[in-house]
Amino acid sequence: MKRITAIVRAEKLEALKDALFAADVRGMTIVQVMGCGNQHGWKEYVRGTEVLLNTIPKVQFDLVVQESQVDEVIEVICSAARTGEVGDGKIFVAPVEEVVRIRTGERGASAL
């Protein structure tokens, strides 16, 4: 099993969620986060004073999928979240050693 963490533009929340449901992804955790990458924020003026806003609102999707689904899920995320502009986000993939469903005690793939 693999954990896929995708950090994307906030405005892509609904489109990406719908695309993942259409791709039969069964569960996901969605969190609103703040961060910065290559773009390093932007400058605004507040009451005549320049303010650097260096954290940008993003949305983080966390999914745990079978290894056979990883490439398909990554493609779904890329196609739904891509605008072609700086700040589209990142995807991280990491191994998951065990999954346990609390309600039933099921373990492994059956717990997904």
Side-chain angles (χ1 to χ4, degrees):
M1 291 175 282
K2 297 285 186 174
R3 177 181 180 175
I4 299 174
T5 300
I7 301 172
V8 300
R9 294 173 181 269
E11 62 266 21
K12 292 296 186 173
L13 168 66
E14 291 300 323
L16 181 51
K17 187 174 64 169
D18 293 344
L20 288 167
F21 282 139
D24 202 29
V25 172
R26 294 181 173 254
M28 64 188 81
T29 300
I30 303 169
V31 183
Q32 293 181 358
V33 296
M34 300 287 285
C36 65
N38 291 335
Q39 62 210 113
H40 300 290
W42 65 92
K43 294 178 185 175
E44 284 189 2
Y45 290 91
V46 178
R47 297 184 185 151
T49 304
E50 185 178 89
V51 177
L52 178 62
L53 301 172
N54 58 0
T55 56
I56 299 165
K58 300 284 184 174
V59 176
Q60 177 176 317
F61 284 76
D62 284 312
L63 319 154
V64 177
V65 299
Q66 295 291 331
E67 289 191 36
S68 60
Q69 295 177 290
V70 171
D71 290 334
E72 176 189 352
V73 170
I74 288 173
E75 184 55 39
V76 167
I77 294 168
C78 286
S79 62
R82 180 179 292 133
T83 66
E85 301 294 322
V86 172
D88 278 351
K90 297 272 192 294
I91 300 172
F92 304 96
V93 180
V96 173
E97 292 183 24
E98 184 70 79
V99 176
V100 178
R101 182 174 303 197
I102 295 172
R103 179 177 53 88
T104 63
E106 293 172 280
R107 292 176 173 263
S110 61
L112 289 179

